[in-house]
Amino acid sequence: MMQRWRDLVVVQWSVLLALLVALPWRGPGFLLSYDMVWIPTWTLDRFDLWGTGSAVPRAVPSDGVVAVLSQVVDPVVLQRVMLIGALALGGVGAARLVDHLGLGARLVAATYALWNPFVAERLVLGQWPVIIALACLPWIVVAVRDPRHVRGVVLTLALAGTALSVATGLMGLVVALVAGWRSGVLRIVVLALALNAPWIVATAVRLAPVESDPAGVRAFAAQSEGPLGHAGTMASLGGVWNTEVVPSSRTTAVAAVLVVVLLLVLVAGVVHWARSDRRLLAPLATLAVLGHAIAAWGWLSPGTLEDLVAWQGSAGVLRDGTRYLALAVPFHVVALAYGARLLGRRVAGIVSDGRWAVVGTAAVLALPLAALPDLANGVDGRLTPVEYPDDWAAAASVIAASDVPGDLLTLPFQPYRSPEWNRDRTVIDPAARFFDRETVASDALTVSGTTLASEDPRARDVAAVLADPAATPARLGALGIGLVVVDVEAQGEVPLPAAVAAAREIGPEGSDLRVLAIDGARSVVPTEEAELAVTAGWALAALTVGIALLVAASRGVGRLRRLVAAGRRTSRS
């Protein structure tokens, strides 16, 4: 009974912290920030959702999963549930790693797991699949740490949570192998391959190989935050390449002092941990070393990583190195929990009263919160919901009613926007997902003044036509472009490209979104073989997750029946 009470306290504490982050998320609208784009209505017949479009399947299967779930759950509600649920789940999972240390240490682990710079920066950067994967990593360790009692359902569902993108899928596999190699490497690899089949197959059937610009290595390299320097920044789980998403508190001297204290407690915790549970220390320390090594690679030795990316374009997944600090989070939270227990014991020993141990533990519990106060309230108000203007729905109606064949092109041909209706916050072009047509959008990112080469061959062809001052609409039509949506605010005073200027306008009148038509286009469709292969990959992943959910539901019903039966026996006696 006492254990269940402690479990409930951990859950409640984790939910409370998650709700503190989500304070401004009440009300209508979506959270739109950098890579996080959610829309009111998802169309399931778009090729890019499933990975058969021309673009590199970076949003596979995450966009497809959201699109399917949005058919039965309001997307506004779904976004909140997934983000808040991930934060709370990560805290509870971290606490499970130290469930033998007592309630105080478990609360410390839960706190640091969801209240750290990595979470804050990736939230603002809009990388919600990374947040979900981070929450699942400790559960993978929980599932496989005892090779005699592998928790197959937990492992399957946790790996599924990491399989929402290429990078996170790789992280999930690495964590499972390092933490559970004694549980059977082949078993883990086969399970991970099945769950990651959507993006694996989608990548394999692309007509063009993945090409990543080596210049992205330096553009995405770890950055220093405040007085901590590169090493201190990464040691405290920060260092994202985009300095615009860094919480302002990270650059203050007070926060730097608190971070140093936190790291000292963490180091003391590692020493204490090494004396009591080396079986867990070894895999988590290995993951931490690996995560920090990848995070520092683009900073310490960019040339070697550039050579690797130039040789093998798929290695571009390593360019955003600090994303892999997620691998180090389980080690950090467990070490801090051990440090909290050690400090609590020292305080109790000083005053010769065991009750004072809670003071030392509480002090450590407060460190992550005090060092990063602006994670609360939507990362200091950077994540607040907004509603799409009515012009978007009007443009969507025009496009849905149009009988003009061909795919959609969005202008200006740039990946990101900072629309006034989104409170001037940067977000990847929402038009690339908003409309019910296959859409061609730019993926040529500009980072710190460096424009990286596009990875989408069709987008490169379109960009070449748009850059030609003598191009005609017919050339876009030959590339399969039948409709063009122009974001008037983002386009500004810049004249439309010659290839679009002569296109006929079909409405809506006076809107901030102009819809233009190009005659003679024909939609570009994937090959039948590619569609069959990708369908098989999705079916394999869905079947694997479905079986795990059925087993979990069956076990849940069995537990409920036993509880009811026990209650009846008690009442009779």
Side-chain angles (χ1 to χ4, degrees):
M1 182 63 70
M2 183 62 69
Q3 181 63 31
R4 289 183 180 177
W5 175 81
R6 289 172 179 166
D7 291 343
L8 182 60
V9 171
V10 170
V11 171
Q12 292 173 331
W13 176 250
S14 299
V15 171
L16 174 62
L17 291 180
L19 290 176
L20 284 177
V21 177
L23 278 176
W25 298 355
R26 303 182 304 274
F30 296 97
L31 308 174
L32 304 178
S33 183
Y34 287 93
D35 295 345
M36 181 158 53
V37 171
W38 289 58
I39 58 177
T41 305
W42 292 83
T43 304
L44 298 181
D45 58 357
R46 286 183 48 161
F47 299 127
D48 52 355
L49 276 181
W50 314 109
T52 53
S54 61
V56 175
R58 298 196 185 281
V60 175
S62 56
D63 277 1
V65 170
V66 171
V68 171
L69 294 177
S70 293
Q71 306 305 307
V72 293
V73 181
D74 184 336
V76 172
V77 176
L78 180 63
Q79 187 184 38
R80 270 61 160 192
V81 169
M82 293 183 75
L83 290 176
I84 296 172
L87 293 173
L89 185 68
V92 175
R96 290 294 297 271
L97 292 175
V98 292
D99 53 6
H100 57 291
L101 293 186
L103 180 59
R106 294 176 67 186
L107 293 176
V108 169
T111 301
Y112 197 36
L114 66 90
W115 205 282
N116 59 67
F118 183 90
V119 170
E121 293 167 359
R122 297 295 158 173
L123 269 178
V124 179
L125 201 55
Q127 295 183 347
W128 62 269
V130 175
I131 299 299
I132 292 178
L134 180 68
C136 293
L137 296 184
W139 289 101
I140 294 175
V141 179
V142 169
V144 300
R145 61 180 171 182
D146 186 351
R148 297 166 300 177
H149 303 287
V150 176
R151 304 177 64 180
V153 171
V154 174
L155 176 61
T156 301
L157 296 179
L159 280 175
T162 66
L164 291 172
S165 70
V166 177
T168 57
L170 294 174
M171 285 189 234
L173 173 60
V174 169
V175 170
L177 287 175
V178 173
W181 62 272
R182 292 177 301 166
S183 304
V185 171
L186 181 60
R187 173 185 184 179
I188 291 173
V189 170
V190 170
L191 182 59
L193 288 176
L195 293 168
N196 287 276
W199 66 260
I200 292 175
V201 177
T203 302
V205 301
R206 292 186 77 240
L207 297 179
V210 176
E211 297 180 7
S212 298
D213 191 343
V217 170
R218 297 177 192 269
F220 291 119
Q223 300 296 313
S224 175
E225 296 172 4
L228 297 172
H230 281 82
T233 296
M234 285 184 280
S236 57
L237 302 177
V240 67
W241 58 271
N242 187 343
T243 55
E244 293 180 359
V245 306
V246 176
S248 56
S249 65
R250 288 282 289 171
T251 62
T252 65
V254 173
V257 172
L258 292 172
V259 167
V260 170
V261 174
L262 187 150
L263 292 176
L264 290 175
V265 175
L266 193 149
V267 171
V270 172
V271 176
H272 183 43
W273 183 8
R275 296 170 179 170
S276 57
D277 187 11
R278 293 187 179 181
R279 287 185 60 183
L280 183 60
L281 173 62
L284 295 192
T286 301
L287 291 169
V289 170
L290 179 61
H292 282 286
I294 297 176
W297 194 353
W299 166 56
L300 290 176
S301 182
T304 58
L305 185 53
E306 287 171 341
D307 291 341
L308 177 62
V309 173
W311 171 67
Q312 181 55 256
S314 57
V317 73
L318 299 175
R319 293 181 302 180
D320 183 4
T322 55
R323 175 171 50 189
Y324 294 89
L325 285 175
L327 295 174
V329 172
F331 172 83
H332 281 248
V333 299
V334 174
L336 191 65
Y338 270 99
R341 186 173 79 161
L342 177 63
L343 183 60
R345 288 181 174 180
R346 292 293 173 85
V347 171
I350 292 173
V351 298
S352 301
D353 187 345
R355 292 174 297 181
W356 279 81
V358 69
V359 175
T361 303
V364 178
L365 177 69
L367 278 175
L369 304 174
L372 193 65
D374 38 4
L375 177 53
N377 197 41
V379 195
D380 199 23
R382 299 190 189 192
L383 283 177
T384 54
V386 297
E387 295 186 89
Y388 285 95
D390 293 338
D391 290 346
W392 285 72
S397 297
V398 170
I399 292 170
S402 174
D403 58 0
V404 176
D407 297 331
L408 185 70
L409 169 67
T410 69
L411 292 180
F413 204 56
Q414 300 165 353
Y416 289 92
R417 308 275 191 268
S418 298
E420 183 180 353
W421 57 264
N422 194 37
R423 299 173 186 172
D424 297 321
R425 291 186 291 238
T426 302
V427 63
I428 199 167
D429 184 10
R433 291 175 171 86
F434 196 90
F435 304 105
D436 65 348
R437 291 231 184 173
E438 195 70 22
T439 304
V440 178
S442 174
D443 64 344
L445 303 179
T446 299
V447 182
S448 300
T450 301
T451 300
L452 307 182
S454 171
E455 298 176 350
D456 181 348
R458 191 180 184 194
R460 290 198 297 267
D461 293 340
V462 168
V465 172
L466 294 175
D468 186 351
T472 62
R475 288 183 60 186
L476 284 178
L479 294 175
I481 303 300
L483 293 175
V484 180
V485 170
V486 181
D487 186 329
V488 175
E489 179 191 347
Q491 186 71 27
E493 300 298 325
V494 179
L496 290 176
V500 176
R504 59 188 176 91
E505 188 159 355
I506 61 175
E509 295 183 4
S511 171
D512 284 339
L513 291 181
R514 298 174 59 193
V515 182
L516 312 177
I518 296 175
D519 296 321
R522 180 180 299 177
S523 296
V524 176
V525 298
T527 64
E528 184 177 348
E529 292 79 9
E531 286 192 287
L532 288 174
V534 168
T535 300
W538 276 89
L540 178 59
L543 179 63
T544 306
V545 174
I547 291 174
L549 290 174
L550 286 174
V551 173
S554 175
R555 292 176 178 174
V557 170
R559 292 192 188 98
L560 181 60
R561 287 176 177 174
R562 288 192 294 272
L563 287 174
V564 172
R568 288 175 178 173
R569 288 194 298 269
T570 302
S571 62
R572 290 174 183 173
S573 61

